[in-house]
Amino acid sequence: LERCPAAARDAATDAALEAIAAAAAPEEPEEQVPEAVKSEPSSAAEAVLQTIDYDSLLNSTDEKAVEAAVASAFGPNGLGVLAVTNIPPSLTEKRRRLLRLGQKLGTLPDDVLKRYERPELCYCAGWSRGREKFRGQLDVAKGSWYANG
């Protein structure tokens, strides 16, 4: 699939955030992450969190470097996580709001959720349920909100 147009993706995200917030109960205060969770590995044998800079990820002319970061993160010795650093503050706040509203989004009625599907973007932005297959069957056991492009 081609990359989703950023303007369409951002507009869909903004509209959905407002609708979800209006339909949902007030947000709860954010929990603080304990310092122990933020700690570095205690020995050289432990896997290390692989990171990549946001600007490098979007604008790198060195595809091999990006591929190497992904391979390191998800390869046999990786943690299965690739952390993106230096995300612009505007995106950080949108991400925080999206994550905190996830459960509320998934429990909205189907007719409401359908308004946030984006078939014109091949479902790469907005709400999606039952568009992917798992073991040959449409997967309706989960819903996904795609805020990527």
Side-chain angles (χ1 to χ4, degrees):
L1 296 175
E2 293 181 5
R3 292 176 83 65
C4 297
R9 180 182 66 241
D10 292 345
T13 298
D14 290 342
L17 278 170
E18 295 307 316
I20 296 163
E27 294 182 19
E28 298 173 10
E30 187 172 333
E31 294 181 34
Q32 295 297 317
V33 177
E35 283 301 315
V37 174
K38 300 177 186 177
S39 66
E40 295 294 321
S42 60
S43 76
E46 291 183 48
V48 176
L49 177 64
Q50 179 68 42
T51 63
I52 189 165
D53 182 79
Y54 177 83
D55 189 58
S56 296
L57 183 61
L58 291 184
N59 302 313
S60 178
T61 56
D62 184 2
E63 287 186 30
K64 295 291 183 194
V66 174
E67 289 173 6
V70 172
S72 176
F74 296 101
N77 297 317
L79 292 174
V81 175
L82 177 62
V84 180
T85 59
N86 300 316
I87 297 173
S90 62
L91 292 180
T92 300
E93 181 54 31
K94 284 182 180 183
R95 177 185 168 273
R96 181 176 291 122
R97 289 183 64 202
L98 278 171
L99 290 175
R100 296 184 75 207
L101 292 170
Q103 181 184 18
K104 295 171 186 176
L105 171 69
T107 57
L108 290 173
D110 286 340
D111 62 317
V112 173
L113 292 169
K114 187 149 187 74
R115 295 192 308 230
Y116 301 104
E117 291 183 344
R118 296 294 182 252
E120 71 277 12
L121 298 175
C122 302
Y123 300 96
C124 73
W127 176 253
S128 175
R129 179 185 287 152
R131 303 291 176 188
E132 300 168 349
K133 289 189 175 183
F134 178 69
R135 296 185 179 168
Q137 302 291 320
L138 289 178
D139 186 0
V140 294
K142 68 154 182 79
S144 299
W145 177 263
Y146 294 102
N148 59 319

